[in-house]
Amino acid sequence: DMDRQLVRYLEKVKDLGYACDAIVYLCLNQKKHPETPGWTKREREDVHALLKVICAYDESEGDLYHGWLLPCCKSSTSDEVTHVLRQYQQLILKLGRNLMNKPIMEKFYGLMRDKQHHDSALALTAMMNDLGGYRGERLFDAFQHDTTPFERIFLWGPAFVVFEGLGGVRIKLDVDCRSQAHTTVVFKNQDDPESPLPKQILTEIGMNADFKLNQSTGFLTRVFPFPSMEDELDQFIREFKEALKQRTHNAA
């Protein structure tokens, strides 16, 4: 805050002949309040009687993110306005979460000063780094003996499972387990990234709605958060392969 900022703002509003209904003080931390050195007792009373401290993001329904930005996005009919609001949402989300994580990191730092806890954390970190590879190998083991209707399945690196070949065309289902937060499934034509065939196939088997077009890659993509949808990922691959088998059977 600048020196006597809110006092000056309130005086200016009154000088212009307006009535002030509220002073909204937006902050990242709900504990943050205006600094009042140099204020008179009357000025403190006048400002605090109108003061509404609003937290940008604290995971509550009344914060700026949930209570204003999200409803504004839903009601906006302008693509430009929606874009700006979403950018602001992401900024608020990042700053707010960073601030909320600070006390957690302070506690974690205290634990890590104990050598035994520190060694255990290092071992766990190594296991987390290897988890993507294990998830990929696990999927490969589950499907390697029944690749149909694909022609083959292979591991491209330990955490990247590839189902390839469909009716003599290099149609692929890529299952990327490298992220610790999610698994990305991509259905594409390896030889022709712009080919309409993958989308046509999905339409034929009634699974077009299961994939979304990734604007940055141009590929049909579906994301499964980890670990909450790990079982759904397995089930989805089985259902997808079965639907493709039925399509091949009907074509024959």
Side-chain angles (χ1 to χ4, degrees):
D1 300 328
M2 292 184 288
D3 183 44
R4 296 171 54 80
Q5 183 175 352
L6 297 186
V7 173
R8 288 186 287 106
Y9 283 2
L10 185 56
E11 289 175 350
K12 184 66 174 179
V13 167
K14 291 180 179 179
D15 288 344
L16 292 171
Y18 294 106
C20 181
D21 295 318
I23 298 173
V24 178
Y25 190 78
L26 179 64
C27 57
L28 283 174
N29 190 328
Q30 187 66 269
K31 297 177 182 178
K32 177 81 165 62
H33 280 71
E35 297 179 11
T36 62
W39 293 22
T40 66
K41 180 180 178 183
R42 178 59 182 272
E43 288 170 343
R44 289 191 182 93
E45 290 175 349
D46 288 347
V47 169
H48 283 285
L50 299 168
L51 192 65
K52 305 293 182 183
V53 179
I54 304 295
C55 187
Y57 179 81
D58 63 0
E59 296 184 334
S60 70
E61 293 183 0
D63 64 20
L64 182 76
Y65 180 84
H66 294 94
W68 188 73
L69 288 174
L70 290 182
C72 282
C73 259
K74 290 179 180 178
S75 62
S76 172
T77 57
S78 165
D79 291 340
E80 291 82 3
V81 171
T82 302
H83 177 73
V84 172
L85 287 171
R86 283 177 177 166
Q87 293 297 315
Y88 191 26
Q89 284 178 16
Q90 292 305 311
L91 175 63
I92 291 295
L93 206 57
K94 180 179 180 180
L95 295 176
R97 283 176 173 170
N98 286 345
L99 193 66
M100 292 176 67
N101 286 339
K102 189 171 182 179
I104 297 175
M105 287 305 298
E106 283 291 332
K107 292 180 181 179
F108 184 66
Y109 171 72
L111 287 172
M112 289 304 98
R113 294 185 66 177
D114 181 290
K115 187 178 185 305
Q116 185 176 352
H117 289 157
H118 181 258
D119 291 346
S120 297
L122 288 178
L124 184 59
T125 299
M127 294 178 68
M128 285 298 296
N129 290 336
D130 293 338
L131 185 58
Y134 173 77
R135 290 165 53 212
E137 292 174 0
R138 176 184 161 278
L139 278 173
F140 177 77
D141 291 341
F143 292 102
Q144 65 172 320
H145 299 299
D146 181 17
T147 63
T148 56
F150 291 97
E151 295 168 8
R152 65 177 184 141
I153 178 176
F154 61 92
L155 282 168
W156 187 69
F160 203 103
V161 185
V162 180
F163 297 84
E164 184 180 71
L166 199 63
V169 182
R170 287 188 70 195
I171 296 291
K172 292 174 60 179
L173 183 73
D174 292 339
V175 185
D176 185 354
C177 304
R178 291 174 295 183
S179 170
Q180 294 183 2
H182 58 263
T183 302
T184 303
V185 179
V186 177
F187 189 54
K188 64 181 182 180
N189 186 331
Q190 181 65 27
D191 294 327
D192 183 5
E194 297 182 0
S195 169
L197 184 56
K199 187 174 181 64
Q200 291 174 7
I201 293 174
L202 292 178
T203 302
E204 289 174 15
I205 64 176
M207 299 185 74
N208 193 38
D210 291 299
F211 288 81
K212 302 296 182 184
L213 183 66
N214 186 311
Q215 296 297 334
S216 61
T217 65
F219 294 137
L220 295 163
T221 304
R222 177 163 180 179
V223 176
F224 292 82
F226 179 82
S228 61
M229 293 189 69
E230 190 74 349
D231 290 340
E232 286 83 353
L233 170 65
D234 287 9
Q235 184 62 27
F236 174 78
I237 293 175
R238 296 182 191 281
E239 291 177 355
F240 187 71
K241 287 172 78 272
E242 189 60 37
L244 289 176
K245 286 181 187 178
Q246 188 62 44
R247 171 182 176 272
T248 303
H249 175 75
N250 291 341

